Amino acid sequence: MDLVFRDAEVVDGSGGASYRADVAIEGGRIAAIVQEGAAAGCQRPTARRVVDAEGLALSPGFIDMHAHSDLALLRDPDHSAKAAQGVTLEVLGQDGLSYAPVDDRTLTEVRKAITGWNGSGDDIDFDWRTVGEYLDRLDRGIAVNAAYLIPQGTVRMYAVGWDDRPATESELDHMRRLVAEGMEQGAVGMSSGLTYTPGMYAKDAELTELCRVVAGYGGYYCPHHRSYGAGALEAYAEMVRLTAEAGCALHLAHATMNFGVNEGRAPDLLALLDEALDAGADISLDTYPYTPGCTTLVAVLPSWASEGGPEAVLARLRDDATAERIRHHLEVLGSDGCHGVPVDWDTIEISGVSEGTLADWVGRRLDGWTAARRLLLEDRLGTTVLQHVGHEENVRTIMRHRVHTGGSDGILQGLKPHPRAYGTFPQYLGRYVRDLGVLTLEDCVAHLTSRPAARLGLTDRGRVREGHRADLVLFDPETVGAGATYESPRTLPTGIPHVLINGEFVMEDGRRTDALAGRAIRRTPV
C-alpha cells in the first residue's frame, strides 16, 4: 500500500458509532479498512509509509457547501484558509453572482459588483467565459476540490442586464440556454442571491422556469432567499413552493434566522421544513457556527438604488436628493437589501476595503448614513462588512436538524474578514461538539461529509469506505478548534495535523505542503 493510518478512531461519516481501525490507501483511494479485533487471519495492512494515528480521529474530508473562493483558489495556491480546516471540497458560484457564464460586458460588470467578495480580479487572467472553461481552469491544479453552481444573477445580467423588469420571452429562452449549457458542462446546480441585484429582480415564475432546467439535469437550487429578517419565514416558504412546482431539489444557503424580529424563531423555520420533508420534498440546508453575518456594504441599499449596475449606484449616491431617499428607505422604511429591517448602524462593522488609503475604517462601526455614503463613494462600492444580527440559540437549534450541512460562507477579502472563513469546521468540532455537546462527534462529522456529498450526488466521497476516494482528515478531538477570532481572523486552526485529497497530503504534520491535488468536481449525469 501507499499509506496506512494505524490505530485511528474512524468516524466514517455515516453517523454511526466510531471504531478503531487501520486504514490503508493506494492509488488515491481507500484500499482496506481493518478494524481492531478483526477475525483471525485478517492481516494488518502494511505500506511504504505508516502514520501512527493513536488517539486521533480519521474522518472523510469536510465539504464546504457555501464558499466564496471563486478567485481565491486561482490567486492563492496555498489556500490554507480552507485546507488547514480539513476542507477537501468547496462549492463555488454562490449567491447568484460569479464569473461564468459571461460575455465581455457581463464579466466587467460582475467583477465590479462583487469586488468586496473576491477582489477586483486585476491579478487574474480571465481566460474563460463558459462554465466548462472555468472548470477546466480549476483542473490545472488547485489546493482543494471545487464544484460550481450556475449564478442566476450573473445569468440575468448577461441576458437581461440590470433592469428591474420581467424578462421577455426571448430573454427567458436565453437564460434557459445558459443554464442548460452550464449544467451540461458540469455545474451541480444553480444559485440565487435574492437580496442582491440584479438577481433579485427575477419574479417567481422566471426562477421556476430556470429551476425546471436545473431539475432536468439532476441538479439542485441554492437560493439566498429574499429575506433573512422581516418576512424570513415567508421567504423560506416561497422557495419551498417554487422548487416543488419546478420539481427541483432545494438547498437553503446559510439558513439562519437573523435580526431582532427572528429571535427564538428557529423552531418555526424547522417546522416549515419538516412539513415539506414529510410530504416528500428534497430539501437540505447549510449554516455557519457563528452569529454575525458578512456581506458588502452596497448590498444593504434598496434594490431600486442598484438598478442599472455599479456606475448607476455611484451616480445616485453622489446626488444629494437621491441619497436622502436611500437614507429614508434604510433608516425608516426598511430596505429590501437589508432584509426589510430598518438598519441599525451600530450592528455594521467594516471588515474590508478595496482602496488601501481607507484602511483606517476597518474594525470601526458605522455611526450613520453620512459615514456609510462617504465610504461607499470613496471605496467605489468595494467595502465588506460584518453584521452583528444573529442569535446563538437559533444557530444551535438549526445545526441539530436532520438535513443540516456545514457551509462557511467565507469571504476571504479584507483586512478583517469574518473568522468563519478560516474557522467554520474546527469551530463545529471544537466548540459545538467537544465544549458544548450540541452535536455528537459522529453526528457532526456526518453533517460535514456524507450529507453534503449526497446533495452533490457524489458516490465515492463523504465516507471512510473501501473504494472511496481518499479525501481524509486526521484530527485530535481533544484539541481541535478554530484559531480564528474576530480580532485575529486569519489564525489557522489547531488539532488537525493531516489532510489528504485523492490520497495526497495537502496538510502534513500541521503544515501546508506544495501539493495542488484539488480538481473540478463535475455533476454526475443522471
Side-chain angles (χ1 to χ4, degrees), residues 161-457:
W162 291 83
D163 296 338
D164 184 1
R165 61 170 176 81
T168 66
E169 191 58 37
S170 64
E171 289 167 341
L172 183 55
D173 282 343
H174 189 188
M175 287 190 282
R176 288 192 191 102
R177 289 196 305 273
L178 290 171
V179 173
E181 289 167 2
M183 294 300 297
E184 289 168 0
Q185 292 163 8
V188 295
M190 181 180 74
S191 75
S192 284
L194 299 179
T195 64
Y196 300 125
T197 55
M200 69 190 302
Y201 298 145
K203 304 303 182 186
D204 284 4
E206 179 180 313
L207 295 171
T208 301
E209 286 302 306
L210 299 183
C211 283
R212 291 189 202 280
V213 177
V214 173
Y217 289 92
Y220 68 92
Y221 181 44
C222 180
H224 165 123
H225 52 279
R226 297 192 193 275
S227 177
Y228 288 80
L233 282 176
E234 291 79 2
Y236 283 111
E238 175 192 13
M239 296 297 101
V240 171
R241 288 193 303 271
L242 186 156
T243 50
E245 182 176 348
C248 188
L250 172 64
H251 180 84
L252 294 165
H254 38 68
T256 57
M257 293 290 284
N258 285 340
F259 300 90
V261 295
N262 290 318
E263 185 171 4
R265 299 195 70 191
D268 297 337
L269 166 61
L270 301 184
L272 168 70
L273 299 183
D274 282 335
E275 182 179 0
L277 287 162
D278 291 344
D282 184 358
I283 300 174
S284 55
L285 61 86
D286 67 67
T287 68
Y288 46 84
Y290 299 88
T291 51
C294 180
T295 188
T296 56
L297 182 56
V298 67
V300 306
L301 302 185
S303 57
W304 61 261
S306 293
E307 188 174 5
E311 292 304 320
V313 179
L314 291 167
R316 292 185 180 102
L317 288 168
R318 294 187 193 101
D319 180 75
D320 289 342
T322 307
E324 171 57 23
R325 185 181 167 207
I326 294 171
R327 182 205 65 77
H328 183 71
H329 271 256
L330 281 168
E331 297 183 349
V332 179
L333 301 179
S335 159
D336 51 2
C338 198
H339 306 277
V341 177
V343 67
D344 177 357
W345 293 112
D346 190 53
T347 66
I348 297 182
E349 176 186 358
I350 306 303
S351 61
V353 292
S354 296
E355 175 54 56
T357 59
L358 300 172
D360 287 348
W361 283 89
V362 175
R364 291 167 53 182
R365 303 285 181 115
L366 288 173
D367 58 7
W369 169 240
T370 299
R373 179 189 179 192
R374 175 188 163 194
L375 186 54
L376 284 164
L377 285 167
E378 293 183 4
D379 204 27
R380 294 190 59 80
L381 314 182
T383 306
T384 52
V385 299
L386 303 183
Q387 274 190 290
H388 296 269
V389 294
H391 306 286
E392 177 66 19
E393 188 53 41
N394 284 351
V395 170
R396 297 187 192 187
T397 299
I398 293 169
M399 74 169 63
R400 295 186 185 103
H401 194 263
R402 53 178 161 151
V403 297
H404 171 267
T405 67
S408 72
D409 197 10
I411 293 174
L412 299 167
Q413 287 296 116
L415 294 175
K416 193 182 179 188
H418 196 303
R420 68 193 186 191
Y422 283 73
T424 286
F425 295 87
Q427 178 84 338
Y428 271 118
L429 296 169
R431 176 169 169 76
Y432 288 96
V433 171
R434 182 186 61 241
D435 298 343
L436 298 176
V438 175
L439 297 169
T440 67
L441 180 61
E442 290 88 351
D443 193 25
C444 184
V445 168
H447 288 222
L448 307 181
T449 59
S450 62
R451 286 190 193 173
R455 167 53 70 213
L456 294 168

Side-chain angles (χ1 to χ4, degrees), residues 19 102 109 122 127 135 148 205 208 247 276 441 445 450 465:
Y19 56 87
V102 293
E109 292 174 351
D122 290 342
D127 59 352
L135 296 177
Y148 189 73
T208 301
L441 180 61
V445 168
S450 62
R465 178 178 290 174

Side-chain angles (χ1 to χ4, degrees), residues 114-137:
I114 53 175
T115 293
W117 291 357
N118 298 311
S120 67
D122 290 342
D123 54 344
I124 301 293
D125 178 11
F126 288 89
D127 59 352
W128 69 86
R129 293 295 181 270
T130 69
V131 170
E133 289 168 350
Y134 177 67
L135 296 177
D136 288 344
R137 176 69 178 275

